[in-house]
Amino acid sequence: MKVTRNLQITASEFFDAVFDEIIQEIERLEKTKISKDSLKSGFHYIYTGKTAYDKIEFKIVEYQEEHFYKCVRSSIQGTTTLIYEVVSNEDGITVTFSQESDIAGTPTKKKSLVSLFTEGYVLGRMTDKLYGYQNKIRDEKEGYIVKDYGSPLLPTIRRKK
């Protein structure tokens, strides 16, 4: 699946946001600090949880600064490949976000109505992710703090620092 969106941020800001998210996730899981400089082609991380189902391998397959990023996440449940291709334009950048998933034990077959709905949902989530990066960067630039409770019952709060 692939989506292309125009964002009003720079390529540098975009990749900083992507890498900040990776760093936060690893630090949350491992309680250790890693540097942004270590996130380059060939970076490999394995999270081993309590069971085999918790084990996740993450690898940055290729990173071309401010242009191209490809990573692979593998677990017992399957493999997901993410690719960001970034091109500068007059208003910021154009990002093409590709995601391919190979779910273990799932045979390849014709698209059913359910798989079409699922694909639409995933494409929407991919778009949300790209615009989420843009909004986070804009909020930081403009001096806003955003608190998202992750619940439809609680509002997202955006206020000045």
Side-chain angles (χ1 to χ4, degrees), residues 5-160:
R5 297 291 180 265
N6 292 318
L7 304 179
Q8 296 174 343
I9 56 177
T10 67
S12 176
E13 291 169 330
F14 175 78
F15 283 110
D16 280 347
V18 170
F19 290 152
D20 285 345
E21 184 177 70
I22 294 168
I23 289 168
Q24 287 174 4
E25 183 65 15
I26 291 172
E27 288 178 353
R28 182 184 68 79
L29 293 170
E30 297 294 331
K31 309 290 187 250
T32 61
K33 298 278 184 193
I34 65 167
S35 72
K36 204 175 284 187
D37 294 333
S38 63
L39 299 176
K40 55 187 172 189
S41 295
F43 175 82
H44 190 246
Y45 169 75
I46 299 175
Y47 170 73
T48 53
K50 295 177 183 172
T51 68
Y53 290 98
D54 296 334
K55 182 179 178 181
I56 299 170
E57 286 190 57
F58 172 81
K59 182 175 184 178
I60 298 176
V61 176
E62 184 178 350
Y63 174 59
Q64 298 169 10
E65 191 168 343
E66 298 184 10
H67 175 65
F68 185 83
Y69 169 85
K70 179 179 181 180
C71 76
V72 176
R73 295 176 188 202
S74 301
S75 71
I76 198 168
Q77 293 142 344
T79 300
T80 300
T81 303
L82 301 175
I83 299 172
Y84 294 116
E85 296 175 79
V86 177
V87 177
S88 295
N89 63 37
E90 61 277 352
D91 294 327
I93 58 174
T94 300
V95 179
T96 301
F97 177 15
S98 305
Q99 177 177 319
E100 295 301 324
S101 295
D102 176 24
I103 299 171
T106 305
T108 305
K109 56 182 179 180
K110 289 193 257 180
K111 292 191 178 206
S112 67
L113 186 59
V114 172
S115 69
L116 290 174
F117 281 118
T118 301
E119 186 174 307
Y121 174 76
V122 171
L123 290 171
R125 295 290 306 237
M126 291 166 67
T127 297
D128 290 347
K129 184 161 203 67
L130 293 176
Y131 286 131
Y133 287 140
Q134 175 180 263
N135 293 340
K136 180 182 176 203
I137 291 163
R138 281 182 166 172
D139 287 339
E140 287 174 3
K141 280 184 184 176
E142 296 171 6
Y144 283 95
I145 296 173
V146 177
K147 177 66 176 165
D148 185 2
Y149 294 98
S151 167
L153 302 177
L154 298 172
T156 298
I157 299 170
R158 182 176 186 254
R159 64 178 173 82
K160 280 281 196 183

